[in-house]
Amino acid sequence: SQTIHQWPATLVQPVGSPLSLECTVEGTSNPNLYWYRQAAGRGLQLLFYSVGIGQISSEVPQNLSASRPQDRQFILSSKKLLLSDSGFYLCAWMTEGYGYTFGSGTRLTVV
Amino acid sequence: QQQVKQSPQSLIVQKGGISIINCAYENTAFDYFPWYQQFPGKGPALLIAIRPDVSEKKEGRFTISFNKSAKQFSLHIMDSQPGDSATYFCAASRRYGGSQGNLIFGKGTKLSVKP
């Protein structure tokens, strides 16, 4: 079966610290992968997407970066977190013709 | 051309009532229209989806109505229940085509169903 794993579930980090969020999918190959951010009570902001290993498209220029070192692994990173990076981060993968499956999300609080 | 406009931003409905959320799109190449339901602290989950070859799709209490000529689609929740209280997102995409298959999301509607 096809599943998506995202961790950690919650994270509290000080301003200026680095960040690494990981997302892995199982049961599929060469999926399109996505990172979204959601501010409290707000909509879904697409940050990055990837159509293959090493292929990253950035939708919004900001303090974050993404990498796809393996077919089913997608990583969101930052070298130095800002207060404005706080939010709910969601990973998703796309099945062509059937939309997205989202992970359970990571609640990031930058203090 | 890539926008999906969703309304209302928030909605309060009495238990047993009908909840209606509307979305409009511009890109006539879109041919897949899903709705996602998101509970607090959880990722969005696919609720129901429609393709433009039909005007309506029903799954239990949830119905999508689709008007291709008006480029609009809506979600109807019949006999709304407090457990339906969540944020709902409409979306649109082309079904196939690599990055062109990326979903374009509406801004979401926060539904509260009062007991």
Side-chain angles (χ1 to χ4, degrees):
Chain A
S1 62
Q2 298 156 335
T3 56
I4 181 168
H5 301 279
Q6 189 179 343
W7 67 92
T10 59
L11 193 59
V12 180
Q13 293 284 96
V15 169
S17 64
L19 172 73
S20 181
L21 302 180
E22 189 165 343
C23 172
T24 60
V25 296
E26 295 179 1
T28 184
S29 61
N30 197 31
N32 281 15
L33 296 173
Y34 304 84
W35 278 111
Y36 282 85
R37 178 170 63 196
Q38 191 174 28
R42 303 292 295 276
L44 299 163
Q45 180 188 31
L46 178 61
L47 302 176
F48 302 94
Y49 71 92
S50 172
V51 299
I53 295 174
Q55 300 179 61
I56 307 295
S57 296
S58 174
E59 290 293 305
V60 182
Q62 55 203 319
N63 186 42
L64 301 169
S65 63
S67 62
R68 187 169 176 176
Q70 300 179 44
D71 181 43
R72 287 170 281 183
Q73 184 185 33
F74 203 22
I75 298 171
L76 182 70
S77 304
S78 174
K79 293 181 179 179
K80 288 185 178 181
L81 283 169
L82 306 173
L83 286 174
S84 58
D85 292 323
S86 294
F88 190 47
Y89 288 83
L90 290 156
C91 179
W93 66 276
M94 181 176 75
T95 301
E96 283 212 13
Y98 294 93
Y100 293 1
T101 298
F102 284 89
S104 54
T106 295
R107 174 75 57 193
L108 171 66
T109 304
V110 182
V111 296
Chain B
Q1 186 123 16
Q2 286 291 91
Q3 280 189 321
V4 175
K5 296 181 179 179
Q6 183 173 347
S7 62
Q9 192 172 12
S10 62
L11 182 61
I12 299 175
V13 174
Q14 291 295 124
K15 179 182 176 181
I18 303 174
S19 304
I20 302 174
I21 305 170
N22 300 299
C23 284
Y25 64 98
E26 299 171 350
N27 189 342
T28 56
F30 288 153
D31 57 4
Y32 177 67
F33 303 91
W35 285 89
Y36 286 80
Q37 179 187 55
Q38 185 182 27
F39 294 106
K42 306 293 184 183
L46 179 64
L47 182 64
I48 186 173
I50 197 168
R51 309 198 194 287
D53 52 339
V54 297
S55 60
E56 185 175 284
K57 183 174 181 180
K58 184 176 181 179
E59 290 185 2
R61 296 184 294 107
F62 300 90
T63 300
I64 299 179
S65 297
F66 183 79
N67 186 329
K68 188 174 181 178
S69 60
K71 293 186 286 186
Q72 295 175 346
F73 58 109
S74 60
L75 177 69
H76 295 232
I77 306 175
M78 311 300 288
D79 187 26
S80 297
Q81 299 297 312
D84 297 329
S85 298
T87 298
Y88 293 81
F89 293 94
C90 65
S93 74
R94 295 177 61 177
R95 286 178 62 193
Y96 302 100
S99 61
Q100 294 184 63
N102 290 353
L103 284 172
I104 307 299
F105 285 93
K107 293 188 181 298
T109 296
K110 186 174 182 180
L111 171 65
S112 296
V113 181
K114 300 299 183 185

